[in-house]
Amino acid sequence: QVQLVESGGGLVQAGGSLRPSCEGYGRTLSSYTTGWFRQAPGKGREFVARITWNSGSTYYADSVKARFTISRDNAKNTVYLQMNSLIPEDTGVYYCAAALLRSGSRQNDYGNWGQGTQVTVSS
């Protein structure tokens, strides 16, 4: 229902920062919980962070809690993932996903997925 376009990935050294964006088209993201997931080579898709549609509450995987911040700019219909203190284990393709009027606590809540943006963290 909503199209999602990620951007802002790239190559960075350990300890650096990136701020990928997820821009929504066709529908307002205020009706969606928006999550970030990532997939490293040889691994399954992993939950990273989400921000809920109704309260704007944020949730993070334990591995990123102290380092990542998810936020939403309603005027730009865009969700951001501020990633600080990056480590090589953060490397992967980062996907934005949207769950309509749902908490997003379950991966199958997400019916809309972006194409992903590559994040590579070197040692």
Side-chain angles (χ1 to χ4, degrees), residues 21-67:
S21 301
C22 173
E23 186 170 4
Y25 294 88
R27 298 289 188 275
T28 175
L29 290 179
S30 65
S31 297
Y32 296 83
T33 290
T34 303
W36 284 95
F37 298 79
R38 67 189 182 190
Q39 188 165 19
K43 295 185 178 181
R45 191 151 55 193
E46 174 190 25
F47 167 77
V48 175
R50 72 178 189 270
I51 183 166
T52 65
W53 71 272
N54 53 344
S55 66
S57 299
T58 58
Y59 302 85
Y60 301 91
D62 288 342
S63 59
V64 307
K65 278 182 179 177
R67 301 181 295 117

Short mmCIF file of all heavy atoms in Angstrom, two decimals, residues 21-67:
data_model
loop_
_atom_site.label_atom_id
_atom_site.label_comp_id
_atom_site.label_asym_id
_atom_site.label_seq_id
_atom_site.Cartn_x
_atom_site.Cartn_y
_atom_site.Cartn_z
N SER A 21 17.82 6.62 5.48
CA SER A 21 16.47 7.17 5.45
C SER A 21 15.53 6.19 4.78
O SER A 21 15.92 5.40 3.93
CB SER A 21 16.44 8.48 4.67
OG SER A 21 17.30 9.44 5.24
N CYS A 22 14.26 6.27 5.18
CA CYS A 22 13.20 5.48 4.58
C CYS A 22 12.07 6.44 4.25
O CYS A 22 11.36 6.90 5.16
CB CYS A 22 12.74 4.38 5.53
SG CYS A 22 11.30 3.45 4.98
N GLU A 23 11.90 6.74 2.98
CA GLU A 23 10.87 7.67 2.57
C GLU A 23 9.65 6.92 2.05
O GLU A 23 9.80 6.01 1.23
CB GLU A 23 11.38 8.63 1.51
CG GLU A 23 10.40 9.73 1.15
CD GLU A 23 10.99 10.80 0.27
OE1 GLU A 23 12.15 10.68 -0.12
OE2 GLU A 23 10.28 11.79 -0.02
N GLY A 24 8.47 7.30 2.51
CA GLY A 24 7.24 6.68 2.08
C GLY A 24 6.58 7.45 0.95
O GLY A 24 6.59 8.69 0.93
N TYR A 25 6.00 6.72 0.03
CA TYR A 25 5.28 7.30 -1.09
C TYR A 25 3.89 6.69 -1.18
O TYR A 25 3.72 5.48 -1.01
CB TYR A 25 6.02 7.05 -2.41
CG TYR A 25 7.35 7.75 -2.51
CD1 TYR A 25 8.51 7.14 -2.03
CD2 TYR A 25 7.45 9.01 -3.07
CE1 TYR A 25 9.73 7.79 -2.12
CE2 TYR A 25 8.66 9.66 -3.16
CZ TYR A 25 9.80 9.04 -2.69
OH TYR A 25 11.01 9.68 -2.77
N GLY A 26 2.91 7.52 -1.46
CA GLY A 26 1.56 7.05 -1.69
C GLY A 26 0.67 7.02 -0.46
O GLY A 26 -0.55 7.11 -0.59
N ARG A 27 1.24 6.86 0.71
CA ARG A 27 0.50 6.84 1.96
C ARG A 27 1.33 7.50 3.05
O ARG A 27 2.56 7.50 2.99
CB ARG A 27 0.16 5.41 2.38
CG ARG A 27 -0.74 4.64 1.42
CD ARG A 27 -2.15 5.16 1.43
NE ARG A 27 -3.04 4.31 0.66
CZ ARG A 27 -3.21 4.38 -0.66
NH1 ARG A 27 -2.53 5.28 -1.37
NH2 ARG A 27 -4.05 3.57 -1.27
N THR A 28 0.66 8.03 4.05
CA THR A 28 1.38 8.63 5.16
C THR A 28 1.89 7.56 6.12
O THR A 28 1.17 6.64 6.49
CB THR A 28 0.50 9.64 5.91
OG1 THR A 28 1.21 10.13 7.05
CG2 THR A 28 -0.80 8.99 6.38
N LEU A 29 3.13 7.70 6.50
CA LEU A 29 3.73 6.74 7.43
C LEU A 29 3.20 6.88 8.84
O LEU A 29 3.49 6.02 9.69
CB LEU A 29 5.25 6.88 7.42
CG LEU A 29 5.96 6.42 6.15
CD1 LEU A 29 7.45 6.63 6.26
CD2 LEU A 29 5.65 4.96 5.87
N SER A 30 2.44 7.91 9.12
CA SER A 30 1.85 8.06 10.44
C SER A 30 0.84 6.97 10.76
O SER A 30 0.48 6.77 11.92
CB SER A 30 1.19 9.44 10.60
OG SER A 30 0.08 9.58 9.73
N SER A 31 0.37 6.25 9.74
CA SER A 31 -0.56 5.14 9.94
C SER A 31 0.17 3.79 10.02
O SER A 31 -0.49 2.75 10.12
CB SER A 31 -1.58 5.09 8.80
OG SER A 31 -2.38 6.26 8.79
N TYR A 32 1.47 3.82 9.98
CA TYR A 32 2.26 2.60 9.96
C TYR A 32 3.31 2.60 11.06
O TYR A 32 3.98 3.61 11.30
CB TYR A 32 3.01 2.46 8.62
CG TYR A 32 2.13 2.30 7.41
CD1 TYR A 32 1.57 3.41 6.80
CD2 TYR A 32 1.89 1.04 6.89
CE1 TYR A 32 0.76 3.26 5.68
CE2 TYR A 32 1.10 0.88 5.77
CZ TYR A 32 0.53 2.00 5.17
OH TYR A 32 -0.25 1.84 4.05
N THR A 33 3.44 1.48 11.70
CA THR A 33 4.67 1.23 12.43
C THR A 33 5.75 0.95 11.40
O THR A 33 5.54 0.14 10.49
CB THR A 33 4.52 0.03 13.38
OG1 THR A 33 3.65 0.41 14.46
CG2 THR A 33 5.86 -0.40 13.95
N THR A 34 6.86 1.62 11.53
CA THR A 34 7.95 1.45 10.59
C THR A 34 9.14 0.83 11.29
O THR A 34 9.56 1.30 12.34
CB THR A 34 8.34 2.80 9.97
OG1 THR A 34 7.20 3.39 9.35
CG2 THR A 34 9.42 2.59 8.91
N GLY A 35 9.65 -0.21 10.70
CA GLY A 35 10.77 -0.93 11.28
C GLY A 35 11.96 -0.97 10.35
O GLY A 35 11.83 -0.81 9.13
N TRP A 36 13.10 -1.17 10.96
CA TRP A 36 14.33 -1.43 10.22
C TRP A 36 14.78 -2.85 10.52
O TRP A 36 14.80 -3.27 11.69
CB TRP A 36 15.43 -0.46 10.60
CG TRP A 36 15.28 0.92 10.02
CD1 TRP A 36 14.71 2.00 10.61
CD2 TRP A 36 15.71 1.35 8.73
NE1 TRP A 36 14.76 3.08 9.77
CE2 TRP A 36 15.38 2.71 8.61
CE3 TRP A 36 16.36 0.72 7.67
CZ2 TRP A 36 15.66 3.46 7.47
CZ3 TRP A 36 16.64 1.46 6.53
CH2 TRP A 36 16.29 2.81 6.44
N PHE A 37 15.14 -3.56 9.48
CA PHE A 37 15.68 -4.89 9.57
C PHE A 37 16.99 -4.93 8.80
O PHE A 37 17.23 -4.09 7.94
CB PHE A 37 14.71 -5.92 9.01
CG PHE A 37 13.40 -6.00 9.74
CD1 PHE A 37 12.41 -5.05 9.52
CD2 PHE A 37 13.16 -7.02 10.64
CE1 PHE A 37 11.20 -5.11 10.19
CE2 PHE A 37 11.96 -7.09 11.32
CZ PHE A 37 10.98 -6.14 11.10
N ARG A 38 17.81 -5.91 9.10
CA ARG A 38 19.05 -6.04 8.35
C ARG A 38 19.34 -7.52 8.11
O ARG A 38 18.89 -8.39 8.84
CB ARG A 38 20.22 -5.39 9.09
CG ARG A 38 20.62 -6.07 10.39
CD ARG A 38 21.63 -5.23 11.14
NE ARG A 38 22.06 -5.88 12.38
CZ ARG A 38 22.79 -5.28 13.31
NH1 ARG A 38 23.19 -4.02 13.14
NH2 ARG A 38 23.14 -5.94 14.40
N GLN A 39 20.10 -7.75 7.07
CA GLN A 39 20.49 -9.10 6.72
C GLN A 39 21.96 -9.12 6.35
O GLN A 39 22.37 -8.48 5.38
CB GLN A 39 19.64 -9.63 5.57
CG GLN A 39 19.86 -11.10 5.28
CD GLN A 39 18.78 -11.68 4.40
OE1 GLN A 39 18.05 -10.95 3.72
NE2 GLN A 39 18.66 -12.99 4.41
N ALA A 40 22.73 -9.83 7.14
CA ALA A 40 24.14 -10.01 6.87
C ALA A 40 24.34 -11.23 5.98
O ALA A 40 23.48 -12.12 5.94
CB ALA A 40 24.91 -10.17 8.17
N PRO A 41 25.46 -11.29 5.27
CA PRO A 41 25.72 -12.46 4.43
C PRO A 41 25.66 -13.76 5.22
O PRO A 41 26.27 -13.88 6.29
CB PRO A 41 27.13 -12.20 3.89
CG PRO A 41 27.27 -10.71 3.92
CD PRO A 41 26.52 -10.28 5.15
N GLY A 42 24.90 -14.71 4.72
CA GLY A 42 24.79 -16.01 5.37
C GLY A 42 23.88 -16.05 6.58
O GLY A 42 23.81 -17.08 7.26
N LYS A 43 23.19 -14.95 6.87
CA LYS A 43 22.31 -14.90 8.02
C LYS A 43 20.89 -14.54 7.59
O LYS A 43 20.67 -14.01 6.50
CB LYS A 43 22.81 -13.88 9.04
CG LYS A 43 24.14 -14.23 9.67
CD LYS A 43 24.51 -13.23 10.75
CE LYS A 43 25.81 -13.60 11.43
NZ LYS A 43 26.15 -12.62 12.50
N GLY A 44 19.95 -14.80 8.47
CA GLY A 44 18.57 -14.43 8.22
C GLY A 44 18.33 -12.96 8.50
O GLY A 44 19.17 -12.26 9.06
N ARG A 45 17.16 -12.51 8.11
CA ARG A 45 16.82 -11.12 8.35
C ARG A 45 16.58 -10.89 9.84
O ARG A 45 15.86 -11.64 10.50
CB ARG A 45 15.58 -10.75 7.54
CG ARG A 45 15.29 -9.27 7.51
CD ARG A 45 14.58 -8.88 6.23
NE ARG A 45 13.37 -9.65 6.03
CZ ARG A 45 12.70 -9.69 4.88
NH1 ARG A 45 13.15 -9.00 3.84
NH2 ARG A 45 11.60 -10.41 4.77
N GLU A 46 17.15 -9.82 10.36
CA GLU A 46 17.18 -9.54 11.79
C GLU A 46 16.51 -8.22 12.09
O GLU A 46 16.75 -7.21 11.42
CB GLU A 46 18.64 -9.51 12.26
CG GLU A 46 18.85 -9.09 13.70
CD GLU A 46 20.31 -8.85 14.02
OE1 GLU A 46 21.08 -8.54 13.09
OE2 GLU A 46 20.69 -8.98 15.20
N PHE A 47 15.68 -8.20 13.11
CA PHE A 47 15.06 -6.96 13.57
C PHE A 47 16.11 -6.04 14.16
O PHE A 47 16.98 -6.47 14.91
CB PHE A 47 13.99 -7.26 14.62
CG PHE A 47 13.53 -6.05 15.37
CD1 PHE A 47 12.65 -5.15 14.79
CD2 PHE A 47 13.97 -5.81 16.66
CE1 PHE A 47 12.22 -4.02 15.47
CE2 PHE A 47 13.55 -4.69 17.36
CZ PHE A 47 12.67 -3.79 16.76
N VAL A 48 16.01 -4.76 13.83
CA VAL A 48 16.94 -3.76 14.33
C VAL A 48 16.23 -2.73 15.21
O VAL A 48 16.63 -2.49 16.35
CB VAL A 48 17.67 -3.04 13.18
CG1 VAL A 48 18.55 -1.92 13.71
CG2 VAL A 48 18.50 -4.04 12.38
N ALA A 49 15.18 -2.11 14.69
CA ALA A 49 14.48 -1.06 15.41
C ALA A 49 13.11 -0.82 14.79
O ALA A 49 12.89 -1.15 13.62
CB ALA A 49 15.28 0.25 15.40
N ARG A 50 12.20 -0.26 15.57
CA ARG A 50 10.91 0.14 15.03
C ARG A 50 10.37 1.33 15.80
O ARG A 50 10.73 1.57 16.95
CB ARG A 50 9.90 -1.01 15.06
CG ARG A 50 9.38 -1.38 16.44
CD ARG A 50 8.35 -2.51 16.33
NE ARG A 50 7.66 -2.78 17.59
CZ ARG A 50 8.08 -3.66 18.50
NH1 ARG A 50 9.19 -4.36 18.30
NH2 ARG A 50 7.38 -3.85 19.60
N ILE A 51 9.47 2.07 15.15
CA ILE A 51 8.76 3.17 15.78
C ILE A 51 7.28 2.97 15.48
O ILE A 51 6.90 2.77 14.33
CB ILE A 51 9.29 4.54 15.29
CG1 ILE A 51 8.57 5.69 16.02
CG2 ILE A 51 9.19 4.69 13.79
CD1 ILE A 51 9.28 7.03 15.84
N THR A 52 6.44 3.00 16.51
CA THR A 52 5.03 2.63 16.34
C THR A 52 4.22 3.77 15.75
O THR A 52 4.54 4.95 15.92
CB THR A 52 4.42 2.19 17.67
OG1 THR A 52 4.39 3.30 18.58
CG2 THR A 52 5.20 1.05 18.28
N TRP A 53 3.16 3.40 15.07
CA TRP A 53 2.32 4.38 14.38
C TRP A 53 1.50 5.23 15.34
O TRP A 53 1.25 6.40 15.08
CB TRP A 53 1.38 3.68 13.40
CG TRP A 53 0.28 2.90 14.07
CD1 TRP A 53 0.32 1.61 14.49
CD2 TRP A 53 -1.03 3.38 14.39
NE1 TRP A 53 -0.87 1.25 15.06
CE2 TRP A 53 -1.73 2.32 15.00
CE3 TRP A 53 -1.68 4.60 14.20
CZ2 TRP A 53 -3.04 2.44 15.44
CZ3 TRP A 53 -3.00 4.73 14.64
CH2 TRP A 53 -3.66 3.67 15.25
N ASN A 54 1.05 4.63 16.45
CA ASN A 54 0.10 5.32 17.30
C ASN A 54 0.75 6.19 18.37
O ASN A 54 0.31 7.32 18.61
CB ASN A 54 -0.86 4.32 17.95
CG ASN A 54 -0.14 3.19 18.68
OD1 ASN A 54 1.04 2.96 18.49
ND2 ASN A 54 -0.89 2.48 19.51
N SER A 55 1.80 5.72 18.98
CA SER A 55 2.43 6.45 20.07
C SER A 55 3.81 7.00 19.74
O SER A 55 4.33 7.84 20.47
CB SER A 55 2.52 5.57 21.31
OG SER A 55 3.39 4.49 21.09
N GLY A 56 4.40 6.51 18.69
CA GLY A 56 5.76 6.88 18.38
C GLY A 56 6.79 6.23 19.30
O GLY A 56 7.94 6.69 19.36
N SER A 57 6.38 5.19 20.00
CA SER A 57 7.31 4.47 20.85
C SER A 57 8.36 3.77 20.01
O SER A 57 8.09 3.31 18.90
CB SER A 57 6.57 3.44 21.71
OG SER A 57 5.62 4.08 22.55
N THR A 58 9.55 3.69 20.56
CA THR A 58 10.65 3.08 19.84
C THR A 58 11.13 1.83 20.55
O THR A 58 11.09 1.73 21.78
CB THR A 58 11.82 4.06 19.68
OG1 THR A 58 12.25 4.50 20.98
CG2 THR A 58 11.39 5.26 18.86
N TYR A 59 11.60 0.89 19.76
CA TYR A 59 12.08 -0.39 20.26
C TYR A 59 13.32 -0.77 19.47
O TYR A 59 13.41 -0.49 18.27
CB TYR A 59 11.02 -1.47 20.12
CG TYR A 59 9.73 -1.16 20.84
CD1 TYR A 59 8.75 -0.39 20.23
CD2 TYR A 59 9.51 -1.62 22.13
CE1 TYR A 59 7.57 -0.07 20.89
CE2 TYR A 59 8.33 -1.31 22.80
CZ TYR A 59 7.37 -0.55 22.17
OH TYR A 59 6.20 -0.24 22.83
N TYR A 60 14.25 -1.43 20.13
CA TYR A 60 15.51 -1.76 19.52
C TYR A 60 15.94 -3.18 19.86
O TYR A 60 15.63 -3.69 20.94
CB TYR A 60 16.61 -0.81 19.99
CG TYR A 60 16.33 0.64 19.69
CD1 TYR A 60 15.66 1.43 20.61
CD2 TYR A 60 16.73 1.20 18.49
CE1 TYR A 60 15.39 2.76 20.34
CE2 TYR A 60 16.47 2.53 18.22
CZ TYR A 60 15.80 3.31 19.14
OH TYR A 60 15.54 4.63 18.87
N ALA A 61 16.66 -3.77 18.95
CA ALA A 61 17.34 -5.01 19.27
C ALA A 61 18.41 -4.72 20.32
O ALA A 61 19.00 -3.64 20.35
CB ALA A 61 17.97 -5.61 18.02
N ASP A 62 18.66 -5.70 21.17
CA ASP A 62 19.64 -5.52 22.23
C ASP A 62 21.01 -5.12 21.69
O ASP A 62 21.73 -4.34 22.31
CB ASP A 62 19.77 -6.78 23.07
CG ASP A 62 18.56 -7.04 23.95
OD1 ASP A 62 17.77 -6.10 24.18
OD2 ASP A 62 18.41 -8.18 24.42
N SER A 63 21.34 -5.64 20.54
CA SER A 63 22.66 -5.41 19.98
C SER A 63 22.89 -3.97 19.54
O SER A 63 24.04 -3.57 19.34
CB SER A 63 22.90 -6.35 18.79
OG SER A 63 21.93 -6.15 17.79
N VAL A 64 21.82 -3.18 19.41
CA VAL A 64 21.97 -1.81 18.91
C VAL A 64 21.40 -0.76 19.85
O VAL A 64 21.49 0.43 19.55
CB VAL A 64 21.33 -1.65 17.51
CG1 VAL A 64 21.86 -2.70 16.55
CG2 VAL A 64 19.81 -1.71 17.60
N LYS A 65 20.85 -1.15 20.99
CA LYS A 65 20.10 -0.23 21.85
C LYS A 65 20.86 1.03 22.22
O LYS A 65 20.30 2.13 22.23
CB LYS A 65 19.66 -0.95 23.12
CG LYS A 65 18.41 -1.78 22.98
CD LYS A 65 18.03 -2.41 24.30
CE LYS A 65 16.77 -3.24 24.18
NZ LYS A 65 16.43 -3.90 25.45
N ALA A 66 22.10 0.90 22.55
CA ALA A 66 22.88 2.04 23.02
C ALA A 66 23.47 2.87 21.89
O ALA A 66 24.06 3.92 22.15
CB ALA A 66 24.00 1.56 23.95
N ARG A 67 23.30 2.42 20.66
CA ARG A 67 24.01 3.04 19.55
C ARG A 67 23.11 3.59 18.45
O ARG A 67 23.51 4.51 17.74
CB ARG A 67 24.98 2.03 18.93
CG ARG A 67 26.01 1.50 19.92
CD ARG A 67 26.98 0.52 19.26
NE ARG A 67 26.32 -0.69 18.81
CZ ARG A 67 26.25 -1.06 17.53
NH1 ARG A 67 26.82 -0.32 16.59
NH2 ARG A 67 25.64 -2.19 17.21
#
